[in-house]
Amino acid sequence: MQGTDAGKKAAGGRRGKRMPRAERERQMMDAAVATFGRRGYRAASMDEIAELAGVSKPLVYLYLNSKEDLFSACIRREAAALVEAVRGGITPGEPADQQLWAGLLAFFTHTAECPDGWSVLHSQARTHGEPFAREVAVMREEIVAFVTLLIAEAAREAHGNPTLPEGEVAPLAEALVGAAEALAVWANATPGVTAREAATTLMNFSWAGLANLMQGKPWSPPK
Amino acid sequence: MQGTDAGKKAAGGRRGKRMPRAERERQMMDAAVATFGRRGYRAASMDEIAELAGVSKPLVYLYLNSKEDLFSACIRREAAALVEAVRGGITPGEPADQQLWAGLLAFFTHTAECPDGWSVLHSQARTHGEPFAREVAVMREEIVAFVTLLIAEAAREAHGNPTLPEGEVAPLAEALVGAAEALAVWANATPGVTAREAATTLMNFSWAGLANLMQGKPWSPPK
Amino acid sequence: MQGTDAGKKAAGGRRGKRMPRAERERQMMDAAVATFGRRGYRAASMDEIAELAGVSKPLVYLYLNSKEDLFSACIRREAAALVEAVRGGITPGEPADQQLWAGLLAFFTHTAECPDGWSVLHSQARTHGEPFAREVAVMREEIVAFVTLLIAEAAREAHGNPTLPEGEVAPLAEALVGAAEALAVWANATPGVTAREAATTLMNFSWAGLANLMQGKPWSPPK
Amino acid sequence: MQGTDAGKKAAGGRRGKRMPRAERERQMMDAAVATFGRRGYRAASMDEIAELAGVSKPLVYLYLNSKEDLFSACIRREAAALVEAVRGGITPGEPADQQLWAGLLAFFTHTAECPDGWSVLHSQARTHGEPFAREVAVMREEIVAFVTLLIAEAAREAHGNPTLPEGEVAPLAEALVGAAEALAVWANATPGVTAREAATTLMNFSWAGLANLMQGKPWSPPK
DNA sequence: TATGAATGAGGATTCATTCAT
DNA sequence: AATGAATGAATCCTCATTCAT
């Protein structure tokens, strides 16, 4: 993700050119994310990845060790990039709805910029069993926990209600995150939908609720 | 020889027992849904499916033709079953929120009862490219369209608002359906969560909105 | 061959209709000859043959025993039919060149009428190893021997030369028969070539020779 | 073909020995020609070919791509070798009968040296349907066209006959080529028959004709 | 650092053939 | 006399992975 999705040919160098390990590794991971994201874990072949990266297969194995390790590495890199993007969009201390808005905007912006990375995390990693599913689950739980906090905080801001029972709030956070994920997929598949629109829709939906919307009081983005 | 326990796994019959084609075909589809749902399309092997069905591989090919056809058949069967379940839960003339509630309850009930079928539809079919993704997409669009109608209808019921612009409602329906899908996965993965609880959470979230919840006015299921 | 090559569907009866063994067996052989002739021994499947014959596979096995036996039976039937056709065209006792002409005409007529049977004998049986190649070889040797006799007889007729050395005549007969076989294939593949034309060409070539042809003395068919 | 047909074990190297791609590819093609020639396209298994070549199956696929491609490659290589051998035997400016004699001698010599290659071209490729039959057909038509020219040229040499009608000469060329093919098969199957004898027989048969032979004027090879 | 050469293992698919009725 | 149900045994092909240089 770091950098855009690799295009048809390795960005950095012609095949055979020597270069520092870190850079080569990044090229390979770029190729791997693109391939895994488009084809899926099983359908992606190490041959295709190596070719897209512009290196020979043995080099991929030398650096990344195995297909499984390579996929795990992709998941971790993309998860970190996503969390980083969202975290970077938020200003701690602001009102909860501002933070949620900012986080969603950053989220939709990032998933639109890195569709292959998002596919790896959301579609591929979660459907390929145990070593991998757990890796995304960890990241996802982090995010759900953060959203849970935001909702609780919002309730406190609204009328000092000290704590909504955690058992009621967590499922709401699940629903919100799930809706965000679905909208990210939908936005990537629907030409012309911007990150801002997706975020607005979701804020409307989750913050104001349908009922409020119907009463002519839609939530609207700040500024 | 009826006493021998030949079968390793087969649910419906011991290996080798003759039976009419329709029944055998159902057994095979059951095995296929279970296998595809757990392992994914690529990782599932026809060997495993045949063994689980309690038949030899050639019979699977004789009846279902190819792995691709078999997967498609699974998708279609499970999609039809899901739509049927939801449709059966709804009473057409009722108020929109009643219909949504009933539909969600039926949805979460069905996905809880058929986790493998749900996995096939939600996780596997959508991540394995063109022949398959389109098949679920069709069903999903139907559902999104139906939810879109419900939301518009609700708005009309609420205060005669003639029509919310379609371009605003459709994304909300996307979000709602996406949230439902995520909650179905979450409910299946979280022991102790009932379909009723999941449906209530989602009604709360979508119908009343978080804001209302914070003001102490949670939506609550009928009866 | 007896009867024309079977068309798309079994000529004699609808599937399932009971009928005497001999007739069923003929239907099956017709289907087998058509299938073997078009697809080749290995590529022809018992399934296809049974379907074309309008019967179930077990019945084919009941009557014809195995694929190998079925193919052998086809070879024998078609070989007999071909020899019969040629023999029937010849009037023993006539001058050798008349006999050769009549035999060739019968041969080209038959191969044009039964292209599948001819394919079985010429193309398929000879390329599929020992049980089969020998069966055609026997028939072919018969024919070569007959042609050898004709040539020797012609020489005697021409100038009383009692016997050309057998070692010189046999290869000539081989060449003549080989040329006839090639012309049969060529005639079947070239629209508009009649059996009569093929036979004339070959008589010209073998009887008169190219040299004579060049001297303006082509051999011409009787009457 | 290059070199003699491989015997029981790979001619060039022991299994496992590393070697440049071109050489390995040649070994594989040798093995493939031998196997296809003896067993036929369908009956030959990639396993057998790989084993005979002394390599693993994946390597065959890596280099030659598929069974179909491998067979096509064999056909092309053997066709080129055969044409090359015949062309190499002929001296362009010579009288037509000299050229035919030289060409036939080269042809029978080559088919005797490479029986498997000849089998691939004559027996196997022509009986296995469209991708393959066409490839030999092209080569065969070239040869027939050349022979057609030779016959026409001979007529001109003989008595200035401007041109025999093409429609009469082409079938004669077909017959001549067909006879040559059959004699090649016969010579390979009959111990003790030399290429020279086969060529002499065919020259006798085609050039002088049976009639001349009977009048005690057999054609005889030069020198 | 980097690669051309090579393979063990497994998966989809087909086919001749038999059994029970 | 005839068939629907069923399978053991290949066969083509792919892929992750390693070796020798």
Side-chain angles (χ1 to χ4, degrees):
Chain A
M1 240 130 173
Q2 170 162 325
T4 55
D5 294 307
K8 204 80 252 198
K9 262 292 150 193
R14 272 188 304 323
R15 173 142 192 177
K17 182 105 179 303
R18 304 231 166 175
M19 67 181 61
R21 171 158 184 156
E23 191 176 346
R24 267 278 192 255
E25 229 173 278
R26 196 180 47 65
Q27 276 182 6
M28 291 176 191
M29 301 262 306
D30 288 347
V33 168
T35 308
F36 286 135
R38 285 163 208 192
R39 298 239 192 285
Y41 176 60
R42 296 288 301 224
S45 83
M46 295 298 269
D47 265 304
E48 190 180 358
I49 292 171
E51 183 176 12
L52 186 58
V55 296
S56 68
K57 248 186 313 176
L59 200 59
V60 179
Y61 279 89
L62 189 61
Y63 284 0
L64 278 316
N65 209 46
S66 75
K67 194 185 188 185
E68 215 174 305
D69 284 3
L70 175 53
F71 192 43
S72 281
C74 289
I75 294 172
R76 277 195 297 273
R77 188 181 91 170
E78 297 307 314
L82 176 56
V83 165
E84 182 57 31
V86 172
R87 209 187 298 281
I90 291 173
T91 309
E94 287 201 338
D97 65 336
Q98 297 289 341
Q99 287 194 48
L100 185 59
W101 160 255
L104 287 173
L105 189 57
F107 173 76
F108 288 119
T109 303
H110 183 84
T111 54
E113 273 167 5
C114 308
D116 292 335
W118 173 238
S119 169
V120 164
L121 292 178
H122 178 63
S123 305
Q124 306 305 340
R126 302 177 76 188
T127 56
H128 284 103
E130 254 335 299
F132 315 124
R134 172 133 43 241
E135 310 229 41
V136 246
V138 166
M139 172 202 71
R140 201 174 182 276
E141 273 154 26
E142 242 179 75
I143 293 186
V144 169
F146 175 62
V147 172
T148 305
L149 281 184
L150 278 189
I151 295 179
E153 169 63 16
R156 212 171 305 116
E157 287 168 10
H159 54 294
N161 191 341
T163 30
L164 279 168
E166 154 80 34
E168 260 174 52
V169 178
L172 290 171
E174 276 291 340
L176 203 168
V177 169
E181 291 166 342
L183 280 184
V185 171
W186 171 76
N188 276 353
T190 310
V193 175
T194 66
R196 197 174 181 84
E197 284 161 6
T200 304
T201 295
L202 191 47
M203 281 305 287
N204 248 323
F205 185 58
S206 60
W207 213 248
L210 296 176
N212 278 6
L213 180 71
M214 288 162 202
Q215 288 150 28
K217 300 184 287 186
W219 182 93
S220 61
K223 263 171 272 126
Chain B
M1 296 302 162
Q2 270 123 312
T4 40
D5 204 354
K8 196 100 251 191
K9 276 287 173 180
R14 283 180 299 315
R15 174 138 191 177
K17 184 88 182 317
R18 304 248 166 154
M19 68 183 63
R21 173 167 180 153
E23 191 177 344
R24 261 284 140 81
E25 226 172 284
R26 200 182 43 66
Q27 278 181 5
M28 290 175 192
M29 298 266 305
D30 289 346
V33 167
T35 309
F36 285 135
R38 283 162 211 195
R39 298 240 191 285
Y41 176 61
R42 297 286 301 226
S45 87
M46 294 298 270
D47 265 307
E48 190 180 357
I49 292 172
E51 183 175 7
L52 185 58
V55 296
S56 69
K57 242 187 316 175
L59 201 58
V60 180
Y61 279 90
L62 189 61
Y63 286 177
L64 277 317
N65 213 45
S66 75
K67 194 184 187 184
E68 209 172 311
D69 283 6
L70 175 54
F71 193 41
S72 279
C74 288
I75 293 172
R76 274 196 296 274
R77 188 181 90 169
E78 296 306 313
L82 176 55
V83 165
E84 182 58 29
V86 173
R87 208 187 296 282
I90 291 172
T91 309
E94 292 199 335
D97 65 335
Q98 297 288 342
Q99 287 193 49
L100 186 59
W101 159 255
L104 287 174
L105 189 56
F107 173 75
F108 289 118
T109 304
H110 183 85
T111 54
E113 273 167 3
C114 310
D116 293 333
W118 174 239
S119 169
V120 164
L121 292 178
H122 179 63
S123 306
Q124 306 304 342
R126 301 179 75 187
T127 54
H128 284 102
E130 255 333 297
F132 313 125
R134 173 133 40 241
E135 311 229 40
V136 247
V138 167
M139 174 202 69
R140 200 175 182 275
E141 273 155 26
E142 243 179 74
I143 293 186
V144 169
F146 176 62
V147 171
T148 304
L149 282 183
L150 277 190
I151 295 178
E153 169 64 16
R156 213 172 305 118
E157 286 168 9
H159 55 296
N161 191 339
T163 30
L164 282 169
E166 152 85 32
E168 259 173 52
V169 179
L172 290 172
E174 276 291 339
L176 203 168
V177 169
E181 290 166 342
L183 281 185
V185 172
W186 171 76
N188 277 351
T190 311
V193 175
T194 65
R196 196 175 182 85
E197 283 160 6
T200 304
T201 295
L202 190 47
M203 279 307 285
N204 249 325
F205 184 59
S206 62
W207 213 248
L210 296 176
N212 278 7
L213 181 70
M214 290 161 202
Q215 288 151 27
K217 299 185 287 185
W219 181 93
S220 61
K223 264 174 265 124
Chain C
M1 240 133 176
Q2 173 161 326
T4 56
D5 293 306
K8 206 79 251 206
K9 263 293 153 190
R14 273 190 301 326
R15 173 142 192 176
K17 182 105 180 302
R18 305 230 164 175
M19 68 180 62
R21 174 161 182 154
E23 191 177 346
R24 268 279 193 255
E25 228 172 279
R26 198 183 43 68
Q27 276 183 4
M28 291 176 192
M29 302 263 304
D30 287 347
V33 168
T35 309
F36 286 135
R38 285 164 208 193
R39 300 240 191 284
Y41 176 60
R42 296 289 302 222
S45 83
M46 294 298 270
D47 264 305
E48 191 180 356
I49 292 171
E51 183 176 11
L52 185 59
V55 296
S56 68
K57 247 187 314 175
L59 199 59
V60 179
Y61 278 89
L62 189 61
Y63 284 0
L64 278 318
N65 209 44
S66 76
K67 194 184 187 185
E68 217 174 303
D69 285 3
L70 174 55
F71 192 43
S72 281
C74 289
I75 294 172
R76 275 195 297 273
R77 188 181 91 170
E78 296 307 313
L82 175 56
V83 165
E84 181 59 28
V86 172
R87 208 187 298 280
I90 291 173
T91 308
E94 288 201 339
D97 64 337
Q98 296 291 340
Q99 288 194 48
L100 184 59
W101 159 256
L104 287 174
L105 189 57
F107 173 75
F108 288 120
T109 302
H110 183 84
T111 55
E113 274 167 5
C114 307
D116 293 334
W118 173 238
S119 169
V120 164
L121 292 178
H122 179 63
S123 305
Q124 306 305 339
R126 302 178 76 187
T127 56
H128 284 103
E130 254 335 297
F132 313 124
R134 173 132 40 241
E135 312 229 39
V136 245
V138 166
M139 172 202 70
R140 202 174 181 277
E141 273 154 26
E142 243 179 74
I143 293 186
V144 170
F146 176 62
V147 172
T148 305
L149 282 183
L150 278 189
I151 296 178
E153 169 64 15
R156 214 170 306 116
E157 286 167 12
H159 53 295
N161 190 341
T163 30
L164 280 168
E166 153 83 34
E168 259 175 53
V169 179
L172 290 171
E174 276 291 341
L176 202 168
V177 169
E181 290 165 343
L183 280 184
V185 171
W186 171 76
N188 277 352
T190 310
V193 175
T194 65
R196 196 174 181 84
E197 284 160 8
T200 304
T201 296
L202 191 47
M203 280 306 285
N204 248 323
F205 184 59
S206 61
W207 213 250
L210 296 176
N212 279 6
L213 180 72
M214 289 161 202
Q215 289 152 26
K217 301 184 287 187
W219 181 94
S220 60
K223 261 173 271 127
Chain D
M1 236 132 172
Q2 181 155 321
T4 54
D5 294 305
K8 202 79 251 194
K9 263 293 153 190
R14 280 180 302 316
R15 173 136 192 176
K17 184 90 183 316
R18 303 246 166 161
M19 66 184 64
R21 173 168 180 152
E23 191 177 344
R24 262 284 140 82
E25 226 172 282
R26 199 182 43 65
Q27 277 182 5
M28 290 176 193
M29 299 265 305
D30 288 347
V33 167
T35 309
F36 285 136
R38 284 164 210 194
R39 298 242 192 283
Y41 177 61
R42 297 288 298 230
S45 88
M46 294 298 270
D47 264 306
E48 189 180 357
I49 292 172
E51 182 174 7
L52 185 58
V55 296
S56 68
K57 240 188 317 175
L59 200 59
V60 180
Y61 280 91
L62 189 60
Y63 285 177
L64 278 315
N65 212 46
S66 73
K67 195 184 188 184
E68 208 172 312
D69 283 4
L70 175 53
F71 193 43
S72 279
C74 289
I75 293 172
R76 275 196 296 274
R77 188 180 90 170
E78 296 307 314
L82 175 56
V83 166
E84 181 58 29
V86 172
R87 209 188 297 281
I90 291 172
T91 308
E94 292 198 335
D97 65 336
Q98 298 287 341
Q99 287 193 48
L100 186 59
W101 160 256
L104 286 173
L105 189 57
F107 172 76
F108 289 119
T109 304
H110 183 84
T111 54
E113 272 168 6
C114 310
D116 293 333
W118 174 239
S119 168
V120 164
L121 292 178
H122 178 63
S123 306
Q124 306 305 340
R126 302 178 75 187
T127 54
H128 283 102
E130 254 332 297
F132 314 124
R134 173 134 38 242
E135 310 230 41
V136 246
V138 166
M139 174 202 69
R140 200 176 183 274
E141 272 154 28
E142 244 179 73
I143 293 186
V144 170
F146 176 63
V147 172
T148 304
L149 282 183
L150 278 190
I151 295 178
E153 168 65 14
R156 212 172 305 118
E157 286 169 11
H159 56 294
N161 190 340
T163 28
L164 282 168
E166 154 84 32
E168 259 173 53
V169 179
L172 290 172
E174 276 292 337
L176 203 167
V177 170
E181 291 167 341
L183 281 184
V185 172
W186 170 76
N188 277 351
T190 311
V193 175
T194 66
R196 196 175 183 86
E197 282 160 8
T200 304
T201 295
L202 190 47
M203 279 306 285
N204 250 324
F205 183 60
S206 62
W207 213 248
L210 295 177
N212 279 6
L213 180 70
M214 290 161 203
Q215 289 151 25
K217 300 184 285 185
W219 182 96
S220 61
K223 263 174 267 129

